[in-house]
Amino acid sequence: MVASTEASDHVHPSSTSSPHDRYHYPFAAAPDIIRSNQKDVYFQGVLLEQLSTILRKLYGARFVHNYTSEARTFTELLYLGLTTFVGNRTLGEEYCDIIQTESPTLSLPSIHRRAGYILSTVLLPYILTKLLPTFRNRIRLKLESNLRRLSRPQKDGQPTSKRTSHRLQTYLRSNLPTLPAPSPFYALSLSTFYFTGSYYHLSKRLFGLRYIFTKRLAPSDQRVGYEVLGVLLVLQMAVQAWLHLHSTLQHGPASLANAGSAAGGSAVIDGGVEVGLDSRTLSENVLLEGPTRL
């Protein structure tokens, strides 16, 4: 009885099984994980549409428009709360025959890991979208105040534009829309996922949650990956980093500031994440594991 209880928390048979019947299920491949996420996004969209319909009938279309982000966050919490939090698989995980486990032990995730994953993948992006604009605005005001002070004539006679502090703060002000954004971390995590096939969401990497494929595979079955996409994403990030560095060194922070103000500074991409208009065009729906997911 004890042996069967311990085996129920793992994805492979217990030690009482014969060697010929023992089978260790492989980790899920990248296509299975992405397909599962796409299914979950679809069902969350269905819930959001139904909730929007109810709110529109009760409070009107203006209310639905003003609280779209809150409604989306609520539907994601509801969906993951009724599936992942209580220990069940999501509809996408059932469709792709994968199950979530703790990476070190291959046991079913504890409730603390499940709750931490849900909070970090749903609430944290929502909080960031609400706090980052105010945070950027305060930093911008502080930088502008410091730059006005540094622009005054100096006793040492050194031009203001040549001073290290002035150049650094000018650079920070011109790149403020992109510096606090979490999108670069999403892209780095996604490129790692394409190479390794593990931790599609950044939150799953933080909490050590991996997927197991629950179907038996024949020795001739091949599990394909997305290594080519990983190479392309790394090349894209490298080119953009080089272009940014080259533009900064060649034209200086002042030119970047003028260009940024002419372009409008920043924009909000899918999922509500604010990025610079000259930054990469990958949206959060592609980067993370899911829309608005870390």
PDB file of all heavy atoms in Angstrom, residues 4 25 33 41 43-44 49 51-52 68 78 80 101 108 112 129-130 145 168 174 190 202 204 219 226:
ATOM      1  N   SER A   4       2.467   1.795  -3.512  1.00  0.00           N
ATOM      2  CA  SER A   4       1.559   2.316  -4.522  1.00  0.00           C
ATOM      3  C   SER A   4       1.269   3.785  -4.305  1.00  0.00           C
ATOM      4  O   SER A   4       1.066   4.537  -5.247  1.00  0.00           O
ATOM      5  CB  SER A   4       0.253   1.516  -4.515  1.00  0.00           C
ATOM      6  OG  SER A   4      -0.387   1.636  -3.252  1.00  0.00           O
ATOM      7  N   TYR A  25       9.132   7.736 -18.873  1.00  0.00           N
ATOM      8  CA  TYR A  25       8.573   8.600 -19.901  1.00  0.00           C
ATOM      9  C   TYR A  25       9.535   9.740 -20.218  1.00  0.00           C
ATOM     10  O   TYR A  25      10.141  10.318 -19.317  1.00  0.00           O
ATOM     11  CB  TYR A  25       7.230   9.162 -19.450  1.00  0.00           C
ATOM     12  CG  TYR A  25       6.160   8.103 -19.320  1.00  0.00           C
ATOM     13  CD1 TYR A  25       5.878   7.532 -18.095  1.00  0.00           C
ATOM     14  CD2 TYR A  25       5.450   7.676 -20.436  1.00  0.00           C
ATOM     15  CE1 TYR A  25       4.909   6.552 -17.977  1.00  0.00           C
ATOM     16  CE2 TYR A  25       4.473   6.702 -20.324  1.00  0.00           C
ATOM     17  CZ  TYR A  25       4.223   6.145 -19.092  1.00  0.00           C
ATOM     18  OH  TYR A  25       3.267   5.172 -18.985  1.00  0.00           O
ATOM     19  N   ILE A  33       4.881  21.216 -26.345  1.00  0.00           N
ATOM     20  CA  ILE A  33       4.674  22.261 -25.337  1.00  0.00           C
ATOM     21  C   ILE A  33       4.031  23.491 -25.966  1.00  0.00           C
ATOM     22  O   ILE A  33       3.104  24.091 -25.401  1.00  0.00           O
ATOM     23  CB  ILE A  33       6.017  22.614 -24.672  1.00  0.00           C
ATOM     24  CG1 ILE A  33       6.586  21.383 -23.953  1.00  0.00           C
ATOM     25  CG2 ILE A  33       5.848  23.764 -23.697  1.00  0.00           C
ATOM     26  CD1 ILE A  33       7.967  21.603 -23.370  1.00  0.00           C
ATOM     27  N   VAL A  41      -4.313  29.008 -24.661  1.00  0.00           N
ATOM     28  CA  VAL A  41      -4.608  30.397 -25.046  1.00  0.00           C
ATOM     29  C   VAL A  41      -5.972  30.482 -25.729  1.00  0.00           C
ATOM     30  O   VAL A  41      -6.746  31.415 -25.508  1.00  0.00           O
ATOM     31  CB  VAL A  41      -3.498  30.943 -25.959  1.00  0.00           C
ATOM     32  CG1 VAL A  41      -3.896  32.291 -26.557  1.00  0.00           C
ATOM     33  CG2 VAL A  41      -2.184  31.086 -25.188  1.00  0.00           C
ATOM     34  N   PHE A  43      -8.631  28.466 -25.277  1.00  0.00           N
ATOM     35  CA  PHE A  43      -9.708  28.314 -24.300  1.00  0.00           C
ATOM     36  C   PHE A  43      -9.796  29.520 -23.364  1.00  0.00           C
ATOM     37  O   PHE A  43     -10.898  29.894 -22.932  1.00  0.00           O
ATOM     38  CB  PHE A  43      -9.503  27.026 -23.495  1.00  0.00           C
ATOM     39  CG  PHE A  43      -9.754  25.773 -24.288  1.00  0.00           C
ATOM     40  CD1 PHE A  43      -8.734  24.877 -24.548  1.00  0.00           C
ATOM     41  CD2 PHE A  43     -11.025  25.501 -24.778  1.00  0.00           C
ATOM     42  CE1 PHE A  43      -8.973  23.728 -25.284  1.00  0.00           C
ATOM     43  CE2 PHE A  43     -11.272  24.352 -25.513  1.00  0.00           C
ATOM     44  CZ  PHE A  43     -10.241  23.469 -25.777  1.00  0.00           C
ATOM     45  N   GLN A  44      -8.674  30.120 -23.046  1.00  0.00           N
ATOM     46  CA  GLN A  44      -8.722  31.352 -22.263  1.00  0.00           C
ATOM     47  C   GLN A  44      -9.404  32.465 -23.050  1.00  0.00           C
ATOM     48  O   GLN A  44     -10.130  33.290 -22.475  1.00  0.00           O
ATOM     49  CB  GLN A  44      -7.305  31.765 -21.869  1.00  0.00           C
ATOM     50  CG  GLN A  44      -6.670  30.860 -20.834  1.00  0.00           C
ATOM     51  CD  GLN A  44      -5.226  31.221 -20.554  1.00  0.00           C
ATOM     52  OE1 GLN A  44      -4.691  32.188 -21.095  1.00  0.00           O
ATOM     53  NE2 GLN A  44      -4.581  30.436 -19.707  1.00  0.00           N
ATOM     54  N   GLU A  49     -14.074  35.957 -23.928  1.00  0.00           N
ATOM     55  CA  GLU A  49     -15.189  36.415 -24.767  1.00  0.00           C
ATOM     56  C   GLU A  49     -16.515  36.278 -24.043  1.00  0.00           C
ATOM     57  O   GLU A  49     -17.368  37.184 -24.107  1.00  0.00           O
ATOM     58  CB  GLU A  49     -15.199  35.618 -26.071  1.00  0.00           C
ATOM     59  CG  GLU A  49     -16.272  36.057 -27.053  1.00  0.00           C
ATOM     60  CD  GLU A  49     -16.234  35.273 -28.349  1.00  0.00           C
ATOM     61  OE1 GLU A  49     -15.324  34.424 -28.500  1.00  0.00           O
ATOM     62  OE2 GLU A  49     -17.123  35.498 -29.205  1.00  0.00           O
ATOM     63  N   LEU A  51     -16.965  36.205 -20.755  1.00  0.00           N
ATOM     64  CA  LEU A  51     -16.984  37.183 -19.661  1.00  0.00           C
ATOM     65  C   LEU A  51     -17.256  38.584 -20.193  1.00  0.00           C
ATOM     66  O   LEU A  51     -18.010  39.355 -19.580  1.00  0.00           O
ATOM     67  CB  LEU A  51     -15.656  37.146 -18.913  1.00  0.00           C
ATOM     68  CG  LEU A  51     -15.481  38.160 -17.777  1.00  0.00           C
ATOM     69  CD1 LEU A  51     -16.517  37.934 -16.681  1.00  0.00           C
ATOM     70  CD2 LEU A  51     -14.069  38.087 -17.194  1.00  0.00           C
ATOM     71  N   SER A  52     -16.652  38.934 -21.324  1.00  0.00           N
ATOM     72  CA  SER A  52     -16.883  40.257 -21.908  1.00  0.00           C
ATOM     73  C   SER A  52     -18.334  40.436 -22.311  1.00  0.00           C
ATOM     74  O   SER A  52     -18.903  41.529 -22.165  1.00  0.00           O
ATOM     75  CB  SER A  52     -15.964  40.452 -23.122  1.00  0.00           C
ATOM     76  OG  SER A  52     -14.602  40.373 -22.755  1.00  0.00           O
ATOM     77  N   THR A  68     -10.445  45.875 -20.019  1.00  0.00           N
ATOM     78  CA  THR A  68     -10.071  44.698 -20.799  1.00  0.00           C
ATOM     79  C   THR A  68      -8.908  43.948 -20.173  1.00  0.00           C
ATOM     80  O   THR A  68      -8.901  42.707 -20.101  1.00  0.00           O
ATOM     81  CB  THR A  68      -9.714  45.117 -22.236  1.00  0.00           C
ATOM     82  OG1 THR A  68     -10.839  45.756 -22.846  1.00  0.00           O
ATOM     83  CG2 THR A  68      -9.313  43.905 -23.066  1.00  0.00           C
ATOM     84  N   LEU A  78      -8.723  32.385 -13.444  1.00  0.00           N
ATOM     85  CA  LEU A  78      -9.810  31.416 -13.324  1.00  0.00           C
ATOM     86  C   LEU A  78      -9.443  30.108 -14.019  1.00  0.00           C
ATOM     87  O   LEU A  78      -9.650  29.014 -13.463  1.00  0.00           O
ATOM     88  CB  LEU A  78     -11.092  31.998 -13.922  1.00  0.00           C
ATOM     89  CG  LEU A  78     -12.325  31.091 -13.915  1.00  0.00           C
ATOM     90  CD1 LEU A  78     -12.732  30.764 -12.477  1.00  0.00           C
ATOM     91  CD2 LEU A  78     -13.481  31.753 -14.664  1.00  0.00           C
ATOM     92  N   LEU A  80      -6.385  28.845 -14.868  1.00  0.00           N
ATOM     93  CA  LEU A  80      -5.297  28.137 -14.194  1.00  0.00           C
ATOM     94  C   LEU A  80      -5.693  27.721 -12.782  1.00  0.00           C
ATOM     95  O   LEU A  80      -5.191  26.719 -12.263  1.00  0.00           O
ATOM     96  CB  LEU A  80      -4.049  29.023 -14.147  1.00  0.00           C
ATOM     97  CG  LEU A  80      -3.406  29.328 -15.501  1.00  0.00           C
ATOM     98  CD1 LEU A  80      -2.199  30.252 -15.325  1.00  0.00           C
ATOM     99  CD2 LEU A  80      -2.988  28.045 -16.204  1.00  0.00           C
ATOM    100  N   THR A 101       5.695  18.330 -14.148  1.00  0.00           N
ATOM    101  CA  THR A 101       6.397  17.719 -13.023  1.00  0.00           C
ATOM    102  C   THR A 101       7.461  18.668 -12.499  1.00  0.00           C
ATOM    103  O   THR A 101       7.836  19.641 -13.163  1.00  0.00           O
ATOM    104  CB  THR A 101       7.074  16.395 -13.438  1.00  0.00           C
ATOM    105  OG1 THR A 101       8.071  16.683 -14.440  1.00  0.00           O
ATOM    106  CG2 THR A 101       6.073  15.406 -13.989  1.00  0.00           C
ATOM    107  N   LEU A 108       4.950  15.090  -9.078  1.00  0.00           N
ATOM    108  CA  LEU A 108       3.946  16.105  -9.356  1.00  0.00           C
ATOM    109  C   LEU A 108       4.250  17.367  -8.548  1.00  0.00           C
ATOM    110  O   LEU A 108       4.672  17.286  -7.391  1.00  0.00           O
ATOM    111  CB  LEU A 108       2.557  15.580  -9.020  1.00  0.00           C
ATOM    112  CG  LEU A 108       2.094  14.374  -9.839  1.00  0.00           C
ATOM    113  CD1 LEU A 108       0.715  13.928  -9.388  1.00  0.00           C
ATOM    114  CD2 LEU A 108       2.094  14.693 -11.330  1.00  0.00           C
ATOM    115  N   HIS A 112       2.682  24.737  -3.485  1.00  0.00           N
ATOM    116  CA  HIS A 112       3.427  25.994  -3.406  1.00  0.00           C
ATOM    117  C   HIS A 112       4.025  26.354  -4.763  1.00  0.00           C
ATOM    118  O   HIS A 112       3.993  27.521  -5.179  1.00  0.00           O
ATOM    119  CB  HIS A 112       4.521  25.883  -2.347  1.00  0.00           C
ATOM    120  CG  HIS A 112       4.014  25.554  -0.985  1.00  0.00           C
ATOM    121  ND1 HIS A 112       3.896  24.244  -0.541  1.00  0.00           N
ATOM    122  CD2 HIS A 112       3.572  26.335   0.028  1.00  0.00           C
ATOM    123  CE1 HIS A 112       3.416  24.246   0.694  1.00  0.00           C
ATOM    124  NE2 HIS A 112       3.211  25.502   1.062  1.00  0.00           N
ATOM    125  N   THR A 129       2.751  46.054 -15.926  1.00  0.00           N
ATOM    126  CA  THR A 129       2.154  46.972 -16.890  1.00  0.00           C
ATOM    127  C   THR A 129       1.526  48.181 -16.206  1.00  0.00           C
ATOM    128  O   THR A 129       1.412  49.252 -16.827  1.00  0.00           O
ATOM    129  CB  THR A 129       1.089  46.259 -17.726  1.00  0.00           C
ATOM    130  OG1 THR A 129       0.090  45.694 -16.859  1.00  0.00           O
ATOM    131  CG2 THR A 129       1.711  45.136 -18.547  1.00  0.00           C
ATOM    132  N   LYS A 130       1.117  48.033 -14.949  1.00  0.00           N
ATOM    133  CA  LYS A 130       0.524  49.144 -14.218  1.00  0.00           C
ATOM    134  C   LYS A 130       1.576  50.035 -13.559  1.00  0.00           C
ATOM    135  O   LYS A 130       1.402  51.254 -13.459  1.00  0.00           O
ATOM    136  CB  LYS A 130      -0.441  48.614 -13.148  1.00  0.00           C
ATOM    137  CG  LYS A 130      -1.641  47.866 -13.706  1.00  0.00           C
ATOM    138  CD  LYS A 130      -2.500  48.760 -14.581  1.00  0.00           C
ATOM    139  CE  LYS A 130      -3.717  48.022 -15.100  1.00  0.00           C
ATOM    140  NZ  LYS A 130      -4.559  48.882 -15.975  1.00  0.00           N
ATOM    141  N   SER A 145      15.924  66.627 -14.458  1.00  0.00           N
ATOM    142  CA  SER A 145      16.388  67.580 -13.453  1.00  0.00           C
ATOM    143  C   SER A 145      17.903  67.553 -13.318  1.00  0.00           C
ATOM    144  O   SER A 145      18.556  68.613 -13.240  1.00  0.00           O
ATOM    145  CB  SER A 145      15.724  67.275 -12.102  1.00  0.00           C
ATOM    146  OG  SER A 145      16.217  68.124 -11.091  1.00  0.00           O
ATOM    147  N   LEU A 168      26.103  59.679 -19.602  1.00  0.00           N
ATOM    148  CA  LEU A 168      25.426  58.495 -19.091  1.00  0.00           C
ATOM    149  C   LEU A 168      23.951  58.768 -18.846  1.00  0.00           C
ATOM    150  O   LEU A 168      23.085  57.966 -19.245  1.00  0.00           O
ATOM    151  CB  LEU A 168      26.108  58.027 -17.801  1.00  0.00           C
ATOM    152  CG  LEU A 168      25.451  56.827 -17.095  1.00  0.00           C
ATOM    153  CD1 LEU A 168      25.447  55.615 -18.007  1.00  0.00           C
ATOM    154  CD2 LEU A 168      26.162  56.522 -15.794  1.00  0.00           C
ATOM    155  N   SER A 174      17.276  58.688 -23.024  1.00  0.00           N
ATOM    156  CA  SER A 174      16.874  58.372 -24.392  1.00  0.00           C
ATOM    157  C   SER A 174      16.424  56.928 -24.551  1.00  0.00           C
ATOM    158  O   SER A 174      15.634  56.608 -25.433  1.00  0.00           O
ATOM    159  CB  SER A 174      18.025  58.658 -25.358  1.00  0.00           C
ATOM    160  OG  SER A 174      19.154  57.864 -25.034  1.00  0.00           O
ATOM    161  N   LEU A 190      13.271  32.348 -24.213  1.00  0.00           N
ATOM    162  CA  LEU A 190      12.685  31.653 -25.346  1.00  0.00           C
ATOM    163  C   LEU A 190      13.753  31.013 -26.222  1.00  0.00           C
ATOM    164  O   LEU A 190      13.596  29.881 -26.696  1.00  0.00           O
ATOM    165  CB  LEU A 190      11.835  32.612 -26.171  1.00  0.00           C
ATOM    166  CG  LEU A 190      11.124  32.003 -27.386  1.00  0.00           C
ATOM    167  CD1 LEU A 190      10.147  30.930 -26.950  1.00  0.00           C
ATOM    168  CD2 LEU A 190      10.432  33.077 -28.198  1.00  0.00           C
ATOM    169  N   LEU A 202       9.061  31.635 -18.631  1.00  0.00           N
ATOM    170  CA  LEU A 202      10.101  32.053 -17.701  1.00  0.00           C
ATOM    171  C   LEU A 202       9.741  31.643 -16.282  1.00  0.00           C
ATOM    172  O   LEU A 202      10.609  31.283 -15.480  1.00  0.00           O
ATOM    173  CB  LEU A 202      10.307  33.564 -17.786  1.00  0.00           C
ATOM    174  CG  LEU A 202      11.429  34.164 -16.944  1.00  0.00           C
ATOM    175  CD1 LEU A 202      12.772  33.528 -17.306  1.00  0.00           C
ATOM    176  CD2 LEU A 202      11.495  35.674 -17.138  1.00  0.00           C
ATOM    177  N   LYS A 204       8.094  28.968 -15.346  1.00  0.00           N
ATOM    178  CA  LYS A 204       8.386  27.548 -15.172  1.00  0.00           C
ATOM    179  C   LYS A 204       9.867  27.309 -14.920  1.00  0.00           C
ATOM    180  O   LYS A 204      10.245  26.400 -14.174  1.00  0.00           O
ATOM    181  CB  LYS A 204       7.922  26.770 -16.404  1.00  0.00           C
ATOM    182  CG  LYS A 204       6.411  26.729 -16.575  1.00  0.00           C
ATOM    183  CD  LYS A 204       6.029  25.857 -17.753  1.00  0.00           C
ATOM    184  CE  LYS A 204       4.521  25.860 -17.959  1.00  0.00           C
ATOM    185  NZ  LYS A 204       3.794  25.219 -16.837  1.00  0.00           N
ATOM    186  N   PRO A 219      11.243   2.928 -30.342  1.00  0.00           N
ATOM    187  CA  PRO A 219      12.638   3.308 -30.560  1.00  0.00           C
ATOM    188  C   PRO A 219      12.868   4.058 -31.861  1.00  0.00           C
ATOM    189  O   PRO A 219      13.811   4.854 -31.970  1.00  0.00           O
ATOM    190  CB  PRO A 219      13.372   1.960 -30.556  1.00  0.00           C
ATOM    191  CG  PRO A 219      12.482   1.052 -29.768  1.00  0.00           C
ATOM    192  CD  PRO A 219      11.089   1.493 -30.065  1.00  0.00           C
ATOM    193  N   TYR A 226      13.096  22.780 -32.174  1.00  0.00           N
ATOM    194  CA  TYR A 226      13.074  24.081 -32.841  1.00  0.00           C
ATOM    195  C   TYR A 226      14.434  24.767 -32.730  1.00  0.00           C
ATOM    196  O   TYR A 226      14.512  25.970 -32.479  1.00  0.00           O
ATOM    197  CB  TYR A 226      11.979  24.967 -32.239  1.00  0.00           C
ATOM    198  CG  TYR A 226      10.578  24.562 -32.610  1.00  0.00           C
ATOM    199  CD1 TYR A 226       9.509  24.878 -31.781  1.00  0.00           C
ATOM    200  CD2 TYR A 226      10.312  23.880 -33.790  1.00  0.00           C
ATOM    201  CE1 TYR A 226       8.208  24.509 -32.120  1.00  0.00           C
ATOM    202  CE2 TYR A 226       9.029  23.504 -34.133  1.00  0.00           C
ATOM    203  CZ  TYR A 226       7.982  23.820 -33.298  1.00  0.00           C
ATOM    204  OH  TYR A 226       6.701  23.457 -33.641  1.00  0.00           O
TER     205      TYR A 226
END
